[in-house]
Amino acid sequence: MAETRFLPDDAATAALGAELASSLRPGDLVLLEGDLGAGKTALARAIIRALAVDQDLEVPSPTFALVQPYRAAGQSVLHADLYRIGDPREVDELGLFDDPDGIVLVEWAERAPELAERATLIVTLAIPAGGEGREVTIERK
């Protein structure tokens, strides 16, 4: 079942991130989809900061590192960005599922379509006509 929302600003994105974080469980895989600039990294930051209970936590984009690891509430949280992978088979080498109890957030997951089968949550962000705010579709599997 999918739910669609409008996020008018950064505060609304942070609030959604906190809401999603509160629903995540060990082993969850969250796919963050959308065009460049749609807000995937901003939402991932909000989720990670909420999980870590640290609104000032530095959460850099994993675009070049591909995967950024965190510890939050005693569990592993991985933030991955697949934009730069050349072949979906490269995902296996990233170790995203080495900790079966870890929470994994993946940007540009469409570059590895097989991840959709494992996903527990798919969040699609879009820039609406006019460019203000974001439209978000949340699909829980």
Side-chain angles (χ1 to χ4, degrees):
M1 179 167 87
E3 167 191 356
T4 301
R5 297 186 193 183
F6 177 73
L7 304 176
D9 53 28
D10 291 341
T13 300
L16 176 61
E19 178 187 330
L20 294 175
S22 72
S23 72
L24 296 177
R25 301 292 170 251
D28 278 354
L29 170 61
V30 179
L31 305 184
L32 302 168
E33 300 180 345
D35 291 335
L36 192 63
K40 297 178 297 295
T41 300
L43 183 57
R45 280 187 183 112
I47 293 169
I48 292 165
R49 287 175 175 158
L51 288 170
V53 193
D54 182 354
Q55 293 308 305
D56 296 321
L57 179 67
E58 185 177 342
V59 180
S61 172
T63 299
F64 294 102
L66 299 182
V67 178
Q68 290 283 62
Y70 300 90
R71 291 295 294 170
Q75 70 184 30
S76 171
V77 177
L78 296 179
H79 179 197
D81 184 327
L82 306 184
Y83 186 76
R84 294 180 57 232
I85 68 165
D87 186 308
R89 291 176 293 197
E90 292 177 41
V91 172
D92 294 336
E93 299 170 17
L94 298 178
L96 299 179
F97 306 109
D98 288 355
D99 179 354
D101 291 329
I103 293 173
V104 180
L105 308 174
V106 179
E107 296 184 44
W108 294 100
E110 54 270 25
R111 298 203 185 258
E114 67 279 0
L115 291 177
E117 299 168 16
R118 296 181 76 159
T120 51
L121 187 65
I122 299 174
V123 181
T124 305
L125 296 113
I127 302 170
E132 295 297 318
R134 297 296 181 262
E135 292 176 354
V136 179
T137 302
I138 303 164
E139 181 183 353
R140 299 179 194 280
K141 296 179 113 195

